[in-house]
Amino acid sequence: FDDLSPRVQALVVSDDGSGYDASARVAYQLDCWFSSDPYAKVLALLYVSVAMVLIGGGLLYGVSATDPGDAVWETLAGVGIDWTFASAAEDESYRSLSGSATRIVAIASSLGGMFITALLLGIVSDAVGDYVDDLRKGKSDVLERGHTLVLGWSDKTLAVVEQISNANESEGGGVIVILAEMEKEAQEELIDEFEYDDFGTTVICREGNPLLVTDLKKVNAAGARSTIVLADESMTSDQADARSLRVVLSLVGLRSKAGAEGHMVVEMQDVDNEPLVR
């Protein structure tokens, strides 16, 4: 008992002094497992499938003259691989499968196979749905280089996008990447509602905090040709300028590590704070 892990010991003991019964502790441990392990669903399905095959093989071996190995294999054929396993119980190729008990085991194995298949389809559907949601929410990295990066969102953002698009007309268009603390879908909706000529310029939106280096790396801030830092209009002038200064310092540190250069424009709310970013 001492060799078991603390989590398993907590499930085995009848009373750990917490006042909760075994079923509540099992539910809690399962909740912790599913929350902490991204592969918990797949592993749980694998464990259930193996247990179902072993139990079904043991039952089949007990009610028929089938060898243990053949019993496990025939049960495996009934769990998710061959749903005709129950009806084949009376076929001549299953001479060892006879009697009502054998048919019950065969039907139970086939029903279990349907259950396992349904769970597998649900897991695959959830995985595909989560991947599509991540793409829609803009959680993937931006792989552009030489793009124009706009940090922050304000009333000036759409006008900035229009002006940059006009400037890129001579080059046949370009790429504008916006990183703001606003949902990607909301940013794209506002841009779609804004009537302007893009002249071949593509706008890519990402949700994130310009103060975080991880979010700056997500939009490849070090590889941007030019960066525009917009002031936060929800703050006071000094607070907005202090925030912009922190963003500039993060950009400078990120570019120095990557050995990259780029033009930077910073919006300051107080003219007295302009020397701080020069």
Side-chain angles (χ1 to χ4, degrees), residues 31 55 58 85 125 129 143 168 173 194 197-198 203 210 229 247 258 270 273:
D31 180 66
I55 294 174
F85 175 66
S125 177
L143 304 182
N168 291 336
F194 183 65
D197 293 328
D198 56 26
V203 181
V229 181
V247 173
D270 191 342
N273 296 327

Side-chain angles (χ1 to χ4, degrees), residues 146-164:
H147 55 285
T148 300
L149 178 61
V150 179
L151 300 178
W153 188 281
S154 67
D155 295 338
K156 306 178 183 66
T157 301
L158 297 178
V160 169
V161 170
E162 182 179 17
Q163 293 299 321
I164 296 176

